[in-house]
Amino acid sequence: MSTEITHGGHDAHADHDHHGPAKGLMRWVTTTNHKDIGTLYLWLSFIMLLYGGSMAMVIRLELFQPGLQWVEPHFFNQMTTMHGLVMVFGAIMPAFVGLANWLIPIMIGAPDMALPRMNNWSFWILPFAFTMLASTTFMEGGAPAFGWTFYAPLSTTFAPDTTDFFIFAVHLMGISSVMGAINVIATILNMRAPGMTLMKMPLFVWTWLITAYLLIAVMPVLAGAVTMMLTDRHFGTSFFDAAGGGDPVMFQHIFWFFGHPEVYIMILPAFGVISAIVPTFARKPLFGYSSMVYASASIAILSFMVWAHHMFTTGMPVAGELYFMYATILISVPTGVKVFNWVTTMWKGSMTFETPMLWALGFIVMFTIGGFSGLMLGVAPVDTQYHDTYFVVAHFHYVLVTGALYSIIAAFYYWVPKWTGHMYDERLGKIHFWWSTIAVNVLFFPQHFVGLAGMPRRIPDYSLQFAEFNMISSIGGFAFGLAQVFFLYIVIKTIKGGEKATDQVWEGATGLEFEHLPSPPPYHSFTEAPPVK
């Protein structure tokens, strides 16, 4: 057993022969190596990004002009629902789990993840879950069409039979997430190199440790919600059916008790990525390390206390509105601390603007825009006006696209030379950044205005007053989608070859992965624990 652990959970005899991966397809199916599994997660999330993005293209195509143009309203609703589900559970979350798999062991000096076989299983559940979810599009009744938040009674009383496939897929994703989270916690708490105290860990590791606890806390809540949906649909219960004494608003409470921490699950690892990149290119240590750790923990704790700010228009008592309003605004304090710390890190630094730094700066500026619109939405009386309009769509896309997705792309450019041993093409990376950034603002910024003017979300048709802004938005959408196809080209080009990366990769980069490992790192990174300064 001891040899198995030191060799990253592989069959020890195979390792003694060639210390490398098995060859061919079975390497990927049976691997327990954290780098292989990280790579699998990242590729899955990229495929899901393009799949979910193709649905966004259908949405923007239909909204290019007023009137019903290309698709039936019911199919349009299927597209909005599946786009949301695929992007949240298929693109953003697996990408961060992929980064965790690749980076956490090499950042803390561990030989591998703590539970390598479970790691393999937690990945391979996902392709089946997403295939099952995607297949509903081709079934009788069509894909789920009740919005990604699947509110009852739309998802219980009035939903097609394909909803049961959706429920099963959500259970599988949840199982995968919880297993991944347990693995992350076990690895960080038990496998750090001697001398790597908790307060010496890179912030990416800290943010993932906190995220993992959030996942374990809220995924069972989501499982509970979809199980109650299932029993309402088939076993005669009426949790959410008012006719049987249930309450559809209770569904919203349960869903958002999962859904709000989920938002932070998708942004906390992003904070860790940005906290690694900004100090490297500012040539200065991160300002306020411990305050960053405490801010991340505060955000996580507060995220459990604000769920009903998604529900200001459900008729909750004024005392409830006041509480949720104040709690929501309070969360902006630790988030603001982070932004100030990144800006202060850059203050008087010797800044250079390589591609990872550009994406990180784009993150800081546009995530802050998303934060401000979030503050506006947190004010209960004003939210009554904004609720369920395109203003909300603009807000959460600034947080999740120019926030979470930008940080994932930044992480790719920052660590891919370390992973592959090849530098990406700097010129193409910069083109990708500026193309994406101009397009994403043309896409989402006008949506603030149509939202303030009262255009509801999730509608396939709209009145003439919104026509110009929607056309602009759609053009931005097509350009942004195309930019990510260009990104695919950059990724493949980098993997195939390029300028050789040095071991440190970036002047000013610190951390065990840059100081103690070659580029690319060997199949088993640390056979013995590295020294920690």
Side-chain angles (χ1 to χ4, degrees):
M1 187 65 195
S2 59
T3 43
E4 199 173 304
I5 289 174
T6 48
H7 288 296
H10 261 342
D11 176 31
H13 300 296
D15 274 331
H16 282 306
D17 297 339
H18 53 80
H19 284 283
K23 294 286 179 276
L25 180 69
M26 288 313 284
R27 163 186 175 178
W28 298 101
V29 175
T30 60
T31 182
T32 54
N33 182 283
H34 72 95
K35 300 186 186 73
D36 283 356
I37 293 171
T39 304
L40 286 169
Y41 269 111
L42 289 169
W43 272 113
L44 174 77
S45 79
F46 203 1
I47 292 163
M48 287 289 130
L49 179 77
L50 297 177
Y51 174 55
S54 65
M55 290 184 257
M57 295 303 101
V58 174
I59 294 167
R60 288 315 322 170
L61 186 66
E62 179 55 61
L63 294 173
F64 190 74
Q65 286 179 300
L68 291 175
Q69 311 285 332
W70 300 92
V71 295
E72 291 293 311
H74 182 62
F75 186 73
F76 181 88
N77 287 343
Q78 294 176 40
M79 290 292 99
T80 54
T81 302
M82 293 289 283
H83 166 73
L85 290 167
V86 165
M87 289 307 206
V88 168
F89 295 109
I92 302 295
M93 289 175 70
F96 280 132
V97 181
L99 291 174
N101 266 293
W102 247 108
L103 297 172
I104 289 173
I106 61 177
M107 283 180 159
I108 63 173
D112 204 303
M113 295 295 276
L115 306 158
R117 286 165 198 228
M118 188 165 90
N119 207 10
N120 172 290
W121 192 35
S122 66
F123 170 77
W124 279 109
I125 288 175
L126 288 179
F128 293 98
F130 290 118
T131 306
M132 185 160 57
L133 184 61
S135 67
T136 57
T137 312
F138 308 103
M139 296 178 191
E140 194 182 341
F146 34 63
W148 83 270
T149 51
F150 46 96
Y151 278 4
L154 283 177
S155 58
T156 50
T157 315
F158 307 114
D161 293 340
T162 53
T163 305
D164 301 328
F165 289 87
F166 152 80
I167 289 172
F168 191 35
V170 168
H171 270 302
L172 290 178
M173 295 169 208
I175 291 167
S176 166
S177 292
V178 169
M179 290 200 301
I182 290 170
N183 211 344
V184 165
I185 292 171
T187 306
I188 296 172
L189 295 186
N190 297 318
M191 299 183 71
R192 301 193 306 281
M196 171 79 67
T197 58
L198 286 174
M199 291 311 272
K200 279 186 191 165
M201 296 195 309
L203 261 166
F204 179 77
V205 180
W206 255 117
T207 51
W208 242 112
L209 180 64
I210 294 164
T211 302
Y213 279 111
L214 281 180
L215 277 166
I216 289 174
V218 301
M219 277 316 193
V221 179
L222 179 65
V226 292
T227 307
M228 290 154 94
M229 276 170 63
L230 190 72
T231 59
D232 269 14
R233 288 169 58 80
H234 298 293
F235 300 104
T237 59
S238 46
F239 289 112
F240 309 129
D241 184 0
D247 183 1
V249 177
M250 178 171 80
F251 176 87
Q252 297 188 30
H253 279 291
I254 297 168
F255 177 84
W256 286 116
F257 191 78
F258 146 79
H260 203 80
E262 164 68 20
V263 178
Y264 293 102
I265 287 165
M266 291 188 284
I267 202 69
L268 279 169
F271 294 161
V273 168
I274 304 304
S275 301
I277 294 173
V278 169
T280 298
F281 296 102
R283 313 286 188 294
K284 277 175 66 187
L286 183 72
F287 179 87
Y289 171 90
S290 52
S291 67
M292 289 293 244
V293 173
Y294 298 134
S296 304
S298 315
I299 289 172
I301 292 160
L302 287 169
S303 73
F304 286 102
M305 304 178 189
V306 296
W307 75 90
H309 67 204
H310 299 267
M311 299 167 55
F312 282 144
T313 57
T314 54
M316 69 167 79
V318 173
E321 289 199 8
L322 280 171
Y323 163 73
F324 283 108
M325 178 169 82
Y326 293 141
T328 301
I329 289 169
L330 191 62
I331 268 198
S332 65
V333 177
T335 316
V337 166
K338 290 179 165 301
V339 175
F340 283 121
N341 281 6
W342 292 321
V343 173
T344 314
T345 304
M346 293 184 273
W347 178 252
K348 294 192 171 170
S350 329
M351 303 256 288
T352 51
F353 299 97
E354 286 86 345
T355 307
M357 186 60 164
L358 287 178
W359 287 94
L361 288 171
F363 170 97
I364 293 169
V365 172
M366 290 180 285
F367 173 77
T368 304
I369 293 174
F372 280 135
S373 60
L375 268 176
M376 292 168 71
L377 288 161
V379 179
V382 192
D383 180 75
T384 312
Q385 171 77 9
Y386 304 148
H387 187 78
D388 263 344
T389 68
Y390 258 81
F391 189 84
V392 180
V393 178
H395 156 68
F396 71 72
H397 282 89
Y398 266 92
V399 175
L400 285 180
V401 179
T402 61
L405 181 64
Y406 262 53
S407 75
I408 292 161
I409 297 171
F412 168 82
Y413 283 116
Y414 185 66
W415 278 290
V416 82
K418 177 51 80 183
W419 297 341
T420 61
H422 306 141
M423 290 303 289
Y424 59 87
D425 185 322
E426 186 69 55
R427 193 176 63 92
L428 295 184
K430 287 196 161 81
I431 292 170
H432 178 214
F433 170 75
W434 287 111
W435 180 359
S436 295
T437 301
I438 293 165
V440 84
N441 283 294
V442 172
L443 165 56
F444 293 120
F445 209 80
Q447 294 180 5
H448 291 105
F449 304 129
V450 289
L452 291 174
M455 179 173 161
R457 60 199 267 204
R458 296 183 189 151
I459 51 164
D461 188 12
Y462 51 86
S463 59
L464 278 169
Q465 61 189 9
F466 305 128
E468 288 90 346
F469 276 144
N470 268 297
M471 186 180 279
I472 293 168
S473 202
S474 287
I475 292 166
F478 302 139
F480 185 72
L482 206 56
Q484 305 330 307
V485 179
F486 178 61
F487 182 39
L488 179 63
Y489 167 73
I490 297 175
V491 172
I492 293 167
K493 184 174 184 288
T494 309
I495 292 169
K496 283 196 159 163
E499 192 190 326
K500 183 89 185 71
T502 60
D503 288 353
Q504 199 188 1
V505 184
W506 307 109
E507 180 208 341
T510 54
L512 297 182
E513 75 269 36
F514 294 112
E515 290 162 7
H516 295 287
L517 287 174
S519 306
Y523 195 60
H524 299 296
S525 317
F526 293 110
T527 41
E528 53 210 51
V532 178
K533 289 206 281 289

